[in-house]
C-alpha cells in the first residue's frame, strides 16, 4: 500500500497505517504532548478531510501523545490572533465549521483512544464512533467558559447530545472535570481500560471492524452519523457566530481598559 502524500503534510499529526488499512492519527506538539496552538486547528481540520477521502483507510484511530490527549495551550501562539474585528475571527469561524464536519465525514469507523486528560477539544474523541479512555483520562471544556469564551464551536452540540441537556449545560458553564469513570457512567465513553491497555484494545477493536466487508464498514458509519451531522449543520454556524461576537466584544473591552 503506497504511502499517502498527506502522511507527511501536517506537523502536528503522526500517521501510521498497517496492512489492514487501520490508520492511527497521533496528535502531538513536536512529538510530545499537545500544546494546543492555531497550527493544530488548521492541521486537524484539513487532515480529517484527507483521511476521510482516502479509500484505503478501513478504520481510523485518533489518540494523543504521552500522558495527555489535549490538555495544554501554547499561549504565545494564540497571542498572535487578532479578534477585535469580525474579520479577525473569520479564520476560526471558517475552520470551526469544517473541523467537526470533516471528522464526522470520515467514511470509515473512527475510534477515539483517550490516553490522558482531554480538556481542550475533547469532542474530537467523544464524537468518535467508539471512544475508549485510559484510567488516567479526564474530560473538561477549559477552552471556553473558564476563559470567558462562548462554547459555540460544536461543543454545545456534542455534549448536549452525548451527556444530556442538564448535565451538558452544567458541565460547560461550570468547567466541571469528569473522571474517566464518570464519563463512562454518563455514556460519553464506551470503555475505560488501564493506560497500558489502551492502544492494544483500540487496535483489537479496529481489527474486528476492519474484517467486515468494505461497504458494511463504510455505510454503517454513514447511517450512524446522520443524526449528529444534522445537529451540527443546524447549530454549528450559529454557535460560532455567537462565540465570535462575544470574542470581538471582549477584545474591544480589553483594549479600552488597557488605554485607561
Amino acid at each position: 500500500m503506497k504511502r499517502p502524500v498527506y502522511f507527511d503534510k501536517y506537523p502536528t499529526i503522526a500517521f501510521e497505517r498497517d496492512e489492514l488499512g487501520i490508520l492511527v492519527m497521533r496528535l502531538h506538539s513536536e512529538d510530545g504532548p499537545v500544546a494546543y496552538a492555531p497550527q493544530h486547528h488548521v492541521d486537524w481540520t484539513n487532515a480529517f478531510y484527507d483521511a476521510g477521502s482516502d479509500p484505503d483507510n478501513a478504520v481510523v484511530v485518533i489518540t494523543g501523545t504521552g500522558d495527555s490527549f489535549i490538555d495544554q495551550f501554547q499561549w504565545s501562539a494564540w497571542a498572535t490572533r487578532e479578534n477585535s474585528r469580525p474579520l479577525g475571527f473569520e479564520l476560526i469561524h471558517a475552520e470551526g465549521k469544517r473541523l467537526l464536519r470533516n471528522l464526522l465525514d470520515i467514511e470509515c469507523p473512527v475510534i477515539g483512544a483517550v490516553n490522558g486528560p482531554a480538556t481542550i477539544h475533547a469532542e474530537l474523541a467523544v464524537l468518535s464512533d467508539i471512544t475508549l479512555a485510559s484510567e488516567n483520562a479526564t474530560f473538561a471544556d477549559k477552552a471556553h467558559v473558564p476563559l470567558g469564551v462562548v462554547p459555540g464551536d460544536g461543543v454545545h452540540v456534542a455534549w448536549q447530545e452525548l451527556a444530556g441537556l442538564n448535565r451538558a449545560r452544567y458541565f460547560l458553564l461550570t468547567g466541571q472535570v469528569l473522571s474517566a469513570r464518570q464519563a463512562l457512567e454518563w455514556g460519553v465513553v464506551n470503555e475505560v481500560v488501564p493506560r497500558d491497555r489502551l492502544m492494544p484494545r483500540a487496535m483489537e477493536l479496529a481489527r474486528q471492524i476492519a474484517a467486515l466487508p468494505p461497504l458494511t464498514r463504510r455505510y454503517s458509519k454513514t447511517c450512524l452519523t446522520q443524526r449528529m451531522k444534522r445537529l451540527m449543520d443546524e447549530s454549528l454556524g450559529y454557535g460560532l457566530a455567537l462565540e465570535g461576537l462575544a470574542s470581538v466584544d471582549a477584545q474591544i473591552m480589553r483594549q479600552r481598559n488597557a488605554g485607561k
Side-chain angles (χ1 to χ4, degrees), residues 41-230:
H41 203 260
V42 174
D43 286 357
W44 300 342
T45 298
N46 295 318
F48 291 152
Y49 178 83
D50 285 338
S53 303
D54 186 345
D56 290 331
N57 293 329
V59 183
V60 171
V61 178
I62 300 173
T63 192
T65 298
D67 291 328
S68 67
F69 185 71
I70 311 169
D71 188 44
Q72 299 295 327
F73 285 99
Q74 187 180 332
W75 291 111
S76 59
W78 287 104
T80 63
R81 287 287 180 105
E82 193 274 312
N83 292 334
S84 63
R85 298 180 302 143
L87 188 60
F89 192 80
E90 173 55 22
L91 182 57
I92 293 176
H93 179 254
E95 290 172 0
K97 286 189 296 184
R98 302 197 314 273
L99 175 64
L100 298 186
R101 199 51 160 83
N102 287 351
L103 172 62
L104 293 170
D105 278 342
I106 293 176
E107 293 189 355
C108 64
V110 176
I111 297 173
V114 185
N115 56 304
T119 61
I120 303 166
H121 278 302
E123 76 279 1
L124 299 185
V126 301
L127 284 176
S128 299
D129 303 295
I130 295 173
T131 305
L132 311 178
S134 63
E135 291 176 332
N136 65 313
T138 56
F139 297 84
D141 182 49
K142 70 181 186 183
H144 293 101
V145 172
L147 296 179
V149 178
V150 174
D153 66 351
V155 296
H156 63 305
V157 179
W159 284 98
Q160 288 186 86
E161 178 70 2
L162 296 172
L165 182 61
N166 284 351
R167 281 175 168 174
R169 288 187 292 189
Y170 183 90
F171 173 82
L172 293 171
L173 286 170
T174 66
Q176 181 182 12
V177 179
L178 300 180
S179 68
R181 292 292 171 187
Q182 284 175 297
L184 181 64
E185 291 169 5
W186 282 21
V188 173
V189 304
N190 302 109
E191 296 181 21
V192 175
V193 298
R195 176 70 181 86
D196 61 356
R197 283 288 304 151
L198 180 68
M199 286 307 294
R201 178 58 177 155
M203 296 304 292
E204 179 183 0
L205 288 167
R207 287 190 291 271
Q208 176 182 327
I209 294 169
L212 295 170
L215 291 186
T216 299
R217 291 194 308 262
R218 293 172 68 85
Y219 293 169
S220 294
K221 167 59 184 276
T222 298
C223 74
L224 291 172
T225 52
Q226 283 300 105
R227 174 182 170 84
M228 185 60 79
K229 288 178 184 179
R230 175 174 58 79

Side-chain angles (χ1 to χ4, degrees), residues 3 6-17 23-32 34 43-44 47 60-65:
R3 181 180 176 85
Y6 67 87
F7 276 27
D8 302 307
K9 187 177 177 182
Y10 301 107
T12 66
I13 308 170
F15 295 87
E16 185 177 346
R17 184 167 64 193
L23 174 67
V24 177
M25 299 176 64
R26 181 174 58 80
L27 313 180
H28 67 88
S29 290
E30 298 181 357
D31 209 34
V34 172
D43 286 357
W44 300 342
V60 171
V61 178
I62 300 173
T63 192
T65 298

